[in-house]
Amino acid sequence: MSDLKYIAGKEPHPRERRMIFKNVDREGWDQSIDTYEKDGGYEMLKKALKMEPGDITSEVKAGGLRGRGGAGFPTGVKWGFLPPNNEKPVYLICNADESEPGTFKDRYIIHQDPHQLIEGMVISCFAVNAKLAYIYIREEFPEGAAILEKAIEEAHAKGYLGKDILGTGFDLEIYVHRGAGAYICGEETGLIESLEGKRPYPRIKPPYFPAAMGLYLCPTIVNNVETLCHVKHIIELGGEEWAKIGKPNNTGTRLLCVSGDVQKPGYYEVEVGSLTMGELINDVCGGLKEGRKLLAVIPGGSSAKVLRGDETYQVGDDELTIWDIPMDFDTLAACGSMAGSGGVIVIDDSRSISWVLNNINAFYAHESCGQCTPCREGSLWMKKITDRVVAGKASPQDIDTLYGVAKNIDGRTICAFGEACSWPTESFVEKFKDELVADTKPELSDDILNPESELAAAGLG
Amino acid sequence: MSEEKSDLIDVQINGEWHSFPKGTRMIEACRLAGFEVPHYCYHPKLTSPGNCRMCLVEMGMPPRPRPGEDPPEPDEDGHVPISWIPRPAIACANTIAPNMGIRTESEMTEECREGVMELLLANHPLDCPICDQAGECSLQEFSVEHGNGQSRFREQKVKKPKNVDIGPRIRLDDERCIMCSRCIRFMDEIADDPVLGFTDRGSHTTLTVHPGHELSNNYSLNTADICPVGALTSNDFRFQMRVWFMKETHTIDTNCATGCNVTVFSREDKIYRVIPRRNDDVNSDWMPDSHRLNIHWIDSEARLTDPLIRDEDGKNHRVANWAEALQRSAEALRDFDGGEIAVIASARMTNEELLITKRLVKQLNAGHVDVVPRVGEPDGYLISADRNPNTNGAKLVLGVEDPGASLDQIKDGIAQGRIKALICLQENLVDDAGFSAENLGKLDFLLTSYPLANPTAEAADIVLPGACWAEKSGTMINGTGRLQRLNKCIDGPGQTRESWEIVRDLIQALGGGNGIYSATELFAQLGDEVSEFEGITFGQIGDLGIPLIETDETIPLLEREAERKAQGLIVG
């Protein structure tokens, strides 16, 4: 690490451990394959291609790599779901639809180190025997798409892609597919539908688990950009050695994207669980802004449940303040939230909780795909209620209704968007009810805004 | 036996154990056990997207022992206790599994239903009194059963296009649409004409036709049938009559040899609409628009309502009563030898009518008998090339081996003066069988019965008002050889009579008493004269018919549904 030079002002924090982001903001670094190769690029591919594909999966399993897209599902286990006697083609899809608010890590990999992703993908494709792979990149990354196209072309010219890769007989093509600007395309089955040219309506599971019935109803692996990059490093260190990074069951490094009310928001690659929330905010991010107090943290992208700044959390036998929470998958889950996509949103006491929740609700109401009833109708309803809360046109009862609507969505939808849109409301009302009610007016409790409901309320509708 | 047993799976539904075949959907298992699970998007003939979430139920599976833990001990029936899952599951798309538990009446299930109902109604107009779907709206029905009497929704509703013209026969009200996607799937999967789709997203999702296309397929009206709400309505039927005022009669379509099973909706002897009735051996759940809309002539001005007799001046017809018309006919017919008489009946007549026609032929010793064939292009779905509903009956009962084969001989016979009298039952020879008025003019005696005024009647000496398909009962044999019941829906106008009555009375006037008082009596006698009918009772035919004879005709739409069923895509 010490011999690496970074652009002035963008040096990694000493608490960081840069593996995936080794080359991000590096002095003299560019996206070209020559630069990548000079730095030892594609050596791990050569190593992997000499291994048995099954052994690569075993290493990934041994490493305990958990998906970095949001759900934290073990990658090796996911690969293991491919049907053993499969005769159909297998597809691998890189999910580069980074769209969870508060998350901005994959774009830096794509923009600054595209070959790391491609190397990780080729290794992963070799492991799962995929001959065709797609990078599904969100529409909002036009530059990233062009960079990836160029990187794929370069890798082709060097024989890392195409027919008979490095003389091993393994064939692979990677295509970049640009989305059309929809959050739901980050949901893996919605992504697959979109890739098939349809509306990105997530599929019902069962039966449409991608590993069995994915793209074109063939076995398909969908992994996040960061996850696929980790595969390269697992090959480098070996699963067992890689698993020593981080904590048991929370292995490796991960990219945290800190935004909001801190002195130095940005991206930080740390060993999973090596930092507490307090260390992340105070040491790495330079602390809160002058004279402010911590109100809340959303620790894993906007859909993660909010943590209150002055709350204590019972984790096993320990009672933790928010500052003591180690930033790993399991502890954040035990605190009632999730590590999610690594997007840490810090909210200080200068913010209005109603406004924060309304902002989140507006996003999810706009992004609900509209396929299934609870999320389609509920997400907009929640937004409309918080619109009124923010505008001072709501009553205290509206907060109860808001909570009831969220509960009517949670657990009842086709995909996890139901939870993504209802968890913020549920957690904000559970933890900040007083603050929300403070923005309402009791005298408005009989206010009805549509004539039909007025009739219904009067028993005439 | 043991093999059959292994294909059955034990499932506990609301506390009781049941066995169902492997692959049964949860919703169907519940239905078979007597518990209807409310649903909107699910339709057994279409794929299951699981989007409405109305069919969420509490579900459980056998407990999974932790490592080191012993698996639970099965009871004497081999069942283990169920470990209930805290997250509800959709019953429509999931199949049953061994030792699965389903609760359709639990608190969790009821909460889900109430929650989904509230959300579905949030942006749905609450103007049921002016909605044409009222009375047959699943949203109304399930709201009463599972909804909450009050709404917590106080916001402005989402505004969407109303009264949208999406095709010649269907009108769309997007505000009523609950986005179940049944119509989209029907047009894609059944009609192979995927013109419908959604635009926009979230709560603003809007059903529409693809740019530059319209919903003009001949099966488009089926989308109105399966639309659970008032979003898609039939231009022909909407706002004509409230559904609860109408009488529903189960009968069959007579526009082609398929004999689609239908329900006819009528009030005070007027038919307002015809919709398909499920019969998995005939028309599945569907029928063509062209057939169901072919009803407006039934109460038209052109209906014949009274027997007519040609005036003494030989030019005009005058109204007569039945007794006089029949008496005149009998008197006229007695003057001819059998060889001078031709009888042209119709393959639109019922087996019973054809049976008594055969007796008339025998009584008159008529030398020429035929029916008028109707052939068109089959549509590859439900419309048969044979546009007569009962050609098989004409062959089997009346004994016409090759329908239409004698028509030219009859024409020639008339032209040459060999045939002097013609009885035409329920056909229009000029328009449908290539007879010319000039040709018919050469006859000494022409008797015709038909529902509508027509050029053949113009040339006739006696014109008898015949009941149409909706005004009579009987049986027919469809193209695949299935015996089906035609049931009387309405009374015909004026003095119209069913053909069997007309022919019976003519036989009587000719001096041959027969003591027949109803079409069912004729049906009972069919067994004596036609061996295929032996031992079959009218009741046995039921609402769905029974296979009677073997033919080589198949129904293409059913074949394709069978394939999709075999693939597990649909329940079927």
Side-chain angles (χ1 to χ4, degrees), chain B residues 153-199:
Chain B
F153 189 79
R154 303 185 155 213
E155 322 302 323
Q156 289 285 359
K157 296 195 181 221
V158 174
K159 294 287 171 234
K160 289 187 192 173
K162 293 184 86 75
N163 202 9
V164 190
D165 192 1
I166 53 170
R169 293 177 293 279
I170 290 278
R171 197 150 289 268
L172 166 65
D173 182 334
D174 263 310
E175 287 189 346
R176 303 198 192 283
C177 176
I178 57 165
M179 277 70 83
C180 73
S181 77
R182 276 181 175 187
C183 55
I184 297 175
R185 284 174 282 139
F186 173 82
M187 291 309 296
D188 182 15
E189 297 167 16
I190 309 283
D192 304 315
D193 189 10
V195 293
L196 294 176
F198 289 130
T199 58

CSV table of all heavy atoms in Angstrom, one decimal, chain B residues 153-199:
chain,number,residue,atom,x,y,z
B,153,PHE,N,-58.0,6.6,3.1
B,153,PHE,CA,-57.4,7.3,2.1
B,153,PHE,C,-58.0,8.7,2.0
B,153,PHE,O,-59.2,8.8,1.7
B,153,PHE,CB,-57.6,6.6,0.7
B,153,PHE,CG,-56.8,7.2,-0.4
B,153,PHE,CD1,-55.4,7.0,-0.5
B,153,PHE,CD2,-57.4,8.0,-1.3
B,153,PHE,CE1,-54.7,7.5,-1.6
B,153,PHE,CE2,-56.7,8.5,-2.4
B,153,PHE,CZ,-55.3,8.3,-2.5
B,154,ARG,N,-57.2,9.7,2.2
B,154,ARG,CA,-57.8,11.1,2.2
B,154,ARG,C,-57.2,12.0,1.1
B,154,ARG,O,-57.4,13.1,1.0
B,154,ARG,CB,-57.5,11.8,3.5
B,154,ARG,CG,-58.0,11.0,4.6
B,154,ARG,CD,-57.9,11.7,6.0
B,154,ARG,NE,-58.9,11.2,6.9
B,154,ARG,CZ,-59.5,11.9,7.8
B,154,ARG,NH1,-59.1,13.1,8.0
B,154,ARG,NH2,-60.4,11.4,8.6
B,155,GLU,N,-56.3,11.3,0.3
B,155,GLU,CA,-55.6,12.1,-0.7
B,155,GLU,C,-56.4,12.3,-2.0
B,155,GLU,O,-57.4,11.7,-2.2
B,155,GLU,CB,-54.2,11.4,-1.0
B,155,GLU,CG,-53.5,10.7,0.1
B,155,GLU,CD,-53.2,11.7,1.3
B,155,GLU,OE1,-52.9,12.8,1.0
B,155,GLU,OE2,-53.3,11.3,2.4
B,156,GLN,N,-55.8,13.1,-2.9
B,156,GLN,CA,-56.4,13.2,-4.2
B,156,GLN,C,-56.0,11.9,-4.9
B,156,GLN,O,-54.9,11.4,-4.8
B,156,GLN,CB,-55.7,14.4,-5.0
B,156,GLN,CG,-56.1,15.8,-4.5
B,156,GLN,CD,-57.5,16.2,-4.9
B,156,GLN,OE1,-58.2,15.4,-5.6
B,156,GLN,NE2,-58.0,17.3,-4.5
B,157,LYS,N,-57.0,11.4,-5.7
B,157,LYS,CA,-56.7,10.2,-6.4
B,157,LYS,C,-55.9,10.5,-7.7
B,157,LYS,O,-55.9,11.6,-8.2
B,157,LYS,CB,-58.0,9.5,-6.8
B,157,LYS,CG,-58.8,9.1,-5.6
B,157,LYS,CD,-59.9,8.1,-5.9
B,157,LYS,CE,-60.6,7.8,-4.6
B,157,LYS,NZ,-61.0,6.4,-4.5
B,158,VAL,N,-55.2,9.5,-8.2
B,158,VAL,CA,-54.5,9.6,-9.4
B,158,VAL,C,-55.5,9.7,-10.6
B,158,VAL,O,-56.5,9.0,-10.6
B,158,VAL,CB,-53.6,8.4,-9.6
B,158,VAL,CG1,-52.9,8.4,-11.0
B,158,VAL,CG2,-52.5,8.3,-8.5
B,159,LYS,N,-55.2,10.7,-11.4
B,159,LYS,CA,-56.2,10.9,-12.6
B,159,LYS,C,-55.6,10.2,-13.8
B,159,LYS,O,-54.4,10.3,-14.0
B,159,LYS,CB,-56.3,12.4,-12.9
B,159,LYS,CG,-57.0,13.2,-11.8
B,159,LYS,CD,-58.5,12.8,-11.7
B,159,LYS,CE,-59.2,13.4,-10.5
B,159,LYS,NZ,-59.9,12.4,-9.7
B,160,LYS,N,-56.4,9.5,-14.5
B,160,LYS,CA,-56.0,8.8,-15.7
B,160,LYS,C,-57.0,8.9,-16.8
B,160,LYS,O,-58.1,9.4,-16.5
B,160,LYS,CB,-55.8,7.3,-15.3
B,160,LYS,CG,-54.7,6.9,-14.4
B,160,LYS,CD,-54.5,5.4,-14.3
B,160,LYS,CE,-53.5,5.1,-13.2
B,160,LYS,NZ,-53.5,3.6,-13.0
B,161,PRO,N,-56.6,8.5,-18.0
B,161,PRO,CA,-57.6,8.7,-19.1
B,161,PRO,C,-58.9,7.9,-18.9
B,161,PRO,O,-58.8,6.8,-18.4
B,161,PRO,CB,-56.8,8.1,-20.3
B,161,PRO,CG,-55.4,8.1,-19.9
B,161,PRO,CD,-55.4,8.0,-18.4
B,162,LYS,N,-60.0,8.5,-19.3
B,162,LYS,CA,-61.3,7.8,-19.2
B,162,LYS,C,-61.9,7.8,-20.6
B,162,LYS,O,-61.5,8.5,-21.5
B,162,LYS,CB,-62.2,8.6,-18.3
B,162,LYS,CG,-61.8,8.6,-16.8
B,162,LYS,CD,-62.7,9.2,-15.9
B,162,LYS,CE,-63.9,8.3,-15.4
B,162,LYS,NZ,-63.4,7.3,-14.4
B,163,ASN,N,-62.8,6.8,-20.7
B,163,ASN,CA,-63.5,6.7,-22.0
B,163,ASN,C,-62.5,6.6,-23.2
B,163,ASN,O,-62.7,7.4,-24.2
B,163,ASN,CB,-64.5,7.8,-22.1
B,163,ASN,CG,-65.6,7.5,-23.1
B,163,ASN,OD1,-65.8,6.4,-23.5
B,163,ASN,ND2,-66.4,8.5,-23.4
B,164,VAL,N,-61.6,5.8,-23.1
B,164,VAL,CA,-60.5,5.7,-24.1
B,164,VAL,C,-61.0,4.7,-25.2
B,164,VAL,O,-61.4,3.6,-25.0
B,164,VAL,CB,-59.2,5.2,-23.6
B,164,VAL,CG1,-58.1,5.4,-24.6
B,164,VAL,CG2,-58.8,6.0,-22.3
B,165,ASP,N,-60.9,5.2,-26.5
B,165,ASP,CA,-61.3,4.4,-27.6
B,165,ASP,C,-60.0,3.6,-28.0
B,165,ASP,O,-59.1,4.1,-28.6
B,165,ASP,CB,-61.6,5.4,-28.7
B,165,ASP,CG,-62.3,4.6,-29.9
B,165,ASP,OD1,-62.5,3.4,-29.8
B,165,ASP,OD2,-62.7,5.3,-30.9
B,166,ILE,N,-60.0,2.3,-27.7
B,166,ILE,CA,-58.9,1.5,-28.0
B,166,ILE,C,-59.1,0.5,-29.1
B,166,ILE,O,-58.2,-0.3,-29.5
B,166,ILE,CB,-58.3,0.7,-26.7
B,166,ILE,CG1,-59.4,-0.1,-26.0
B,166,ILE,CG2,-57.7,1.7,-25.8
B,166,ILE,CD1,-58.8,-1.0,-25.0
B,167,GLY,N,-60.4,0.4,-29.5
B,167,GLY,CA,-60.7,-0.5,-30.6
B,167,GLY,C,-62.2,-0.4,-30.9
B,167,GLY,O,-62.9,0.3,-30.2
B,168,PRO,N,-62.6,-1.1,-31.9
B,168,PRO,CA,-64.0,-0.9,-32.4
B,168,PRO,C,-65.0,-1.5,-31.4
B,168,PRO,O,-66.2,-1.0,-31.4
B,168,PRO,CB,-64.1,-1.7,-33.7
B,168,PRO,CG,-62.9,-2.7,-33.6
B,168,PRO,CD,-61.9,-2.0,-32.8
B,169,ARG,N,-64.7,-2.4,-30.5
B,169,ARG,CA,-65.7,-3.0,-29.7
B,169,ARG,C,-65.5,-2.9,-28.2
B,169,ARG,O,-66.3,-3.3,-27.4
B,169,ARG,CB,-65.8,-4.5,-30.1
B,169,ARG,CG,-66.4,-4.7,-31.5
B,169,ARG,CD,-66.4,-6.2,-31.9
B,169,ARG,NE,-65.1,-6.8,-32.0
B,169,ARG,CZ,-64.4,-6.7,-33.1
B,169,ARG,NH1,-64.8,-6.0,-34.1
B,169,ARG,NH2,-63.2,-7.2,-33.1
B,170,ILE,N,-64.3,-2.4,-27.9
B,170,ILE,CA,-63.9,-2.3,-26.4
B,170,ILE,C,-63.6,-0.8,-26.1
B,170,ILE,O,-63.0,-0.1,-26.8
B,170,ILE,CB,-62.7,-3.2,-26.1
B,170,ILE,CG1,-63.1,-4.6,-26.2
B,170,ILE,CG2,-62.1,-2.8,-24.8
B,170,ILE,CD1,-63.7,-5.2,-25.0
B,171,ARG,N,-64.1,-0.4,-24.9
B,171,ARG,CA,-63.8,0.9,-24.4
B,171,ARG,C,-63.0,0.8,-23.1
B,171,ARG,O,-63.3,-0.2,-22.3
B,171,ARG,CB,-65.1,1.6,-24.2
B,171,ARG,CG,-65.0,3.1,-24.0
B,171,ARG,CD,-66.3,3.8,-24.5
B,171,ARG,NE,-66.3,3.6,-26.0
B,171,ARG,CZ,-65.9,4.6,-26.8
B,171,ARG,NH1,-65.3,5.7,-26.4
B,171,ARG,NH2,-65.9,4.4,-28.1
B,172,LEU,N,-62.1,1.7,-22.9
B,172,LEU,CA,-61.2,1.6,-21.7
B,172,LEU,C,-61.4,2.7,-20.8
B,172,LEU,O,-61.4,3.9,-21.2
B,172,LEU,CB,-59.8,1.5,-22.2
B,172,LEU,CG,-58.7,1.7,-21.1
B,172,LEU,CD1,-58.7,0.6,-20.1
B,172,LEU,CD2,-57.3,1.8,-21.8
B,173,ASP,N,-61.6,2.4,-19.5
B,173,ASP,CA,-61.6,3.5,-18.4
B,173,ASP,C,-60.4,3.2,-17.6
B,173,ASP,O,-60.4,2.2,-16.7
B,173,ASP,CB,-62.9,3.4,-17.6
B,173,ASP,CG,-62.9,4.5,-16.6
B,173,ASP,OD1,-61.8,4.9,-16.1
B,173,ASP,OD2,-64.0,4.9,-16.2
B,174,ASP,N,-59.3,3.9,-17.8
B,174,ASP,CA,-58.0,3.6,-17.0
B,174,ASP,C,-58.1,3.8,-15.5
B,174,ASP,O,-57.4,3.2,-14.8
B,174,ASP,CB,-56.9,4.4,-17.6
B,174,ASP,CG,-56.1,3.6,-18.7
B,174,ASP,OD1,-55.7,2.5,-18.3
B,174,ASP,OD2,-55.9,4.1,-19.8
B,175,GLU,N,-59.0,4.7,-15.1
B,175,GLU,CA,-59.1,4.9,-13.7
B,175,GLU,C,-59.7,3.7,-12.9
B,175,GLU,O,-59.4,3.5,-11.8
B,175,GLU,CB,-60.0,6.2,-13.4
B,175,GLU,CG,-59.2,7.4,-13.7
B,175,GLU,CD,-59.9,8.7,-13.3
B,175,GLU,OE1,-61.1,8.6,-12.9
B,175,GLU,OE2,-59.3,9.8,-13.3
B,176,ARG,N,-60.4,2.9,-13.7
B,176,ARG,CA,-61.0,1.7,-13.0
B,176,ARG,C,-60.0,0.5,-13.1
B,176,ARG,O,-60.2,-0.5,-12.4
B,176,ARG,CB,-62.3,1.3,-13.7
B,176,ARG,CG,-63.3,2.4,-13.7
B,176,ARG,CD,-64.7,1.9,-13.9
B,176,ARG,NE,-65.7,3.0,-14.2
B,176,ARG,CZ,-66.2,3.8,-13.3
B,176,ARG,NH1,-65.8,3.6,-12.0
B,176,ARG,NH2,-67.0,4.8,-13.6
B,177,CYS,N,-59.0,0.6,-13.9
B,177,CYS,CA,-58.1,-0.5,-14.1
B,177,CYS,C,-57.3,-0.8,-12.8
B,177,CYS,O,-56.8,0.1,-12.2
B,177,CYS,CB,-57.2,-0.2,-15.3
B,177,CYS,SG,-55.9,-1.5,-15.5
B,178,ILE,N,-57.3,-2.1,-12.4
B,178,ILE,CA,-56.5,-2.4,-11.2
B,178,ILE,C,-55.2,-3.1,-11.6
B,178,ILE,O,-54.5,-3.8,-10.8
B,178,ILE,CB,-57.3,-3.3,-10.3
B,178,ILE,CG1,-57.8,-4.6,-10.9
B,178,ILE,CG2,-58.4,-2.5,-9.6
B,178,ILE,CD1,-58.3,-5.6,-9.9
B,179,MET,N,-54.8,-3.0,-12.9
B,179,MET,CA,-53.5,-3.5,-13.4
B,179,MET,C,-53.3,-5.0,-13.2
B,179,MET,O,-52.2,-5.4,-12.9
B,179,MET,CB,-52.4,-2.7,-12.8
B,179,MET,CG,-52.1,-1.4,-13.5
B,179,MET,SD,-53.3,-0.1,-13.3
B,179,MET,CE,-52.9,0.6,-11.7
B,180,CYS,N,-54.4,-5.8,-13.3
B,180,CYS,CA,-54.2,-7.2,-13.0
B,180,CYS,C,-53.5,-7.9,-14.3
B,180,CYS,O,-53.0,-9.0,-14.2
B,180,CYS,CB,-55.5,-7.9,-12.8
B,180,CYS,SG,-56.6,-8.0,-14.2
B,181,SER,N,-53.6,-7.2,-15.4
B,181,SER,CA,-52.9,-7.7,-16.6
B,181,SER,C,-53.6,-8.9,-17.3
B,181,SER,O,-53.0,-9.5,-18.2
B,181,SER,CB,-51.4,-7.9,-16.4
B,181,SER,OG,-51.1,-9.1,-15.8
B,182,ARG,N,-54.8,-9.2,-16.9
B,182,ARG,CA,-55.4,-10.4,-17.5
B,182,ARG,C,-55.6,-10.1,-19.0
B,182,ARG,O,-55.4,-11.0,-19.8
B,182,ARG,CB,-56.8,-10.6,-16.9
B,182,ARG,CG,-56.8,-11.4,-15.7
B,182,ARG,CD,-58.3,-11.5,-15.2
B,182,ARG,NE,-58.4,-12.4,-14.1
B,182,ARG,CZ,-59.6,-12.8,-13.6
B,182,ARG,NH1,-60.7,-12.3,-14.2
B,182,ARG,NH2,-59.7,-13.6,-12.6
B,183,CYS,N,-56.1,-8.9,-19.4
B,183,CYS,CA,-56.4,-8.6,-20.8
B,183,CYS,C,-55.1,-8.6,-21.6
B,183,CYS,O,-55.1,-9.1,-22.7
B,183,CYS,CB,-57.0,-7.2,-20.9
B,183,CYS,SG,-56.1,-5.9,-20.1
B,184,ILE,N,-54.0,-8.1,-21.0
B,184,ILE,CA,-52.7,-8.1,-21.7
B,184,ILE,C,-52.3,-9.6,-22.0
B,184,ILE,O,-51.9,-9.9,-23.1
B,184,ILE,CB,-51.6,-7.4,-20.9
B,184,ILE,CG1,-52.0,-6.0,-20.7
B,184,ILE,CG2,-50.3,-7.5,-21.5
B,184,ILE,CD1,-51.1,-5.2,-19.7
B,185,ARG,N,-52.4,-10.4,-21.0
B,185,ARG,CA,-52.0,-11.8,-21.1
B,185,ARG,C,-53.0,-12.5,-22.1
B,185,ARG,O,-52.5,-13.4,-22.9
B,185,ARG,CB,-52.0,-12.5,-19.8
B,185,ARG,CG,-50.8,-12.1,-18.9
B,185,ARG,CD,-50.8,-12.7,-17.5
B,185,ARG,NE,-51.8,-11.9,-16.7
B,185,ARG,CZ,-52.6,-12.5,-15.8
B,185,ARG,NH1,-52.7,-13.8,-15.7
B,185,ARG,NH2,-53.4,-11.7,-15.1
B,186,PHE,N,-54.2,-12.2,-22.0
B,186,PHE,CA,-55.1,-12.9,-23.0
B,186,PHE,C,-54.8,-12.6,-24.4
B,186,PHE,O,-54.7,-13.5,-25.3
B,186,PHE,CB,-56.6,-12.5,-22.7
B,186,PHE,CG,-57.5,-13.0,-23.8
B,186,PHE,CD1,-58.0,-14.3,-23.7
B,186,PHE,CD2,-57.9,-12.2,-24.9
B,186,PHE,CE1,-58.9,-14.8,-24.7
B,186,PHE,CE2,-58.7,-12.7,-25.9
B,186,PHE,CZ,-59.2,-14.0,-25.8
B,187,MET,N,-54.6,-11.3,-24.7
B,187,MET,CA,-54.3,-10.9,-26.1
B,187,MET,C,-52.9,-11.5,-26.5
B,187,MET,O,-52.7,-11.9,-27.7
B,187,MET,CB,-54.2,-9.4,-26.2
B,187,MET,CG,-55.6,-8.7,-26.1
B,187,MET,SD,-56.9,-9.4,-27.1
B,187,MET,CE,-56.2,-9.1,-28.7
B,188,ASP,N,-52.0,-11.7,-25.6
B,188,ASP,CA,-50.7,-12.2,-25.9
B,188,ASP,C,-50.8,-13.7,-26.1
B,188,ASP,O,-50.3,-14.3,-27.0
B,188,ASP,CB,-49.7,-11.8,-24.9
B,188,ASP,CG,-48.3,-12.3,-25.1
B,188,ASP,OD1,-48.0,-12.7,-26.3
B,188,ASP,OD2,-47.5,-12.2,-24.2
B,189,GLU,N,-51.3,-14.4,-25.0
B,189,GLU,CA,-51.2,-15.8,-24.9
B,189,GLU,C,-52.3,-16.6,-25.7
B,189,GLU,O,-52.0,-17.7,-26.2
B,189,GLU,CB,-51.2,-16.2,-23.4
B,189,GLU,CG,-50.1,-15.6,-22.7
B,189,GLU,CD,-50.3,-15.8,-21.2
B,189,GLU,OE1,-51.1,-16.5,-20.7
B,189,GLU,OE2,-49.5,-15.1,-20.4
B,190,ILE,N,-53.5,-16.0,-25.7
B,190,ILE,CA,-54.6,-16.8,-26.4
B,190,ILE,C,-54.8,-16.2,-27.8
B,190,ILE,O,-55.0,-17.0,-28.7
B,190,ILE,CB,-55.9,-16.7,-25.5
B,190,ILE,CG1,-55.6,-17.0,-24.1
B,190,ILE,CG2,-57.0,-17.5,-26.2
B,190,ILE,CD1,-55.5,-18.5,-23.8
B,191,ALA,N,-54.9,-14.9,-27.9
B,191,ALA,CA,-55.3,-14.3,-29.2
B,191,ALA,C,-54.1,-14.1,-30.1
B,191,ALA,O,-54.3,-13.8,-31.3
B,191,ALA,CB,-56.1,-13.0,-29.0
B,192,ASP,N,-52.9,-14.3,-29.6
B,192,ASP,CA,-51.7,-14.1,-30.4
B,192,ASP,C,-51.7,-12.7,-31.1
B,192,ASP,O,-51.2,-12.5,-32.2
B,192,ASP,CB,-51.5,-15.1,-31.5
B,192,ASP,CG,-51.6,-16.5,-30.9
B,192,ASP,OD1,-50.9,-16.7,-29.9
B,192,ASP,OD2,-52.3,-17.4,-31.4
B,193,ASP,N,-52.2,-11.7,-30.4
B,193,ASP,CA,-52.3,-10.4,-31.0
B,193,ASP,C,-51.9,-9.4,-29.8
B,193,ASP,O,-52.8,-8.7,-29.3
B,193,ASP,CB,-53.7,-10.1,-31.5
B,193,ASP,CG,-53.8,-8.9,-32.3
B,193,ASP,OD1,-52.8,-8.2,-32.6
B,193,ASP,OD2,-55.0,-8.5,-32.6
B,194,PRO,N,-50.7,-9.4,-29.4
B,194,PRO,CA,-50.4,-8.6,-28.2
B,194,PRO,C,-50.4,-7.1,-28.3
B,194,PRO,O,-49.3,-6.5,-28.3
B,194,PRO,CB,-48.9,-9.1,-27.8
B,194,PRO,CG,-48.4,-9.6,-29.1
B,194,PRO,CD,-49.5,-10.0,-30.0
B,195,VAL,N,-51.5,-6.5,-28.5
B,195,VAL,CA,-51.6,-5.1,-28.7
B,195,VAL,C,-51.8,-4.3,-27.4
B,195,VAL,O,-51.6,-3.1,-27.4
B,195,VAL,CB,-52.8,-4.7,-29.7
B,195,VAL,CG1,-52.6,-5.2,-31.0
B,195,VAL,CG2,-54.1,-5.2,-29.1
B,196,LEU,N,-52.0,-5.0,-26.3
B,196,LEU,CA,-52.2,-4.2,-25.1
B,196,LEU,C,-51.0,-4.2,-24.2
B,196,LEU,O,-50.2,-5.2,-24.3
B,196,LEU,CB,-53.4,-4.9,-24.3
B,196,LEU,CG,-54.8,-4.8,-24.9
B,196,LEU,CD1,-55.7,-5.5,-24.0
B,196,LEU,CD2,-55.2,-3.3,-25.0
B,197,GLY,N,-50.8,-3.2,-23.5
B,197,GLY,CA,-49.6,-3.2,-22.6
B,197,GLY,C,-49.8,-2.0,-21.6
B,197,GLY,O,-50.7,-1.2,-21.7
B,198,PHE,N,-48.8,-1.9,-20.7
B,198,PHE,CA,-48.8,-0.8,-19.7
B,198,PHE,C,-47.8,0.2,-20.1
B,198,PHE,O,-46.7,-0.1,-20.7
B,198,PHE,CB,-48.4,-1.3,-18.3
B,198,PHE,CG,-49.5,-2.2,-17.7
B,198,PHE,CD1,-49.2,-3.4,-17.1
B,198,PHE,CD2,-50.8,-1.7,-17.6
B,198,PHE,CE1,-50.1,-4.2,-16.5
B,198,PHE,CE2,-51.8,-2.5,-16.9
B,198,PHE,CZ,-51.4,-3.7,-16.4
B,199,THR,N,-48.1,1.5,-19.9
B,199,THR,CA,-47.1,2.5,-19.9
B,199,THR,C,-47.1,3.2,-18.6
B,199,THR,O,-47.9,3.0,-17.7
B,199,THR,CB,-47.5,3.6,-21.0
B,199,THR,OG1,-48.8,4.2,-20.6
B,199,THR,CG2,-47.6,3.1,-22.4
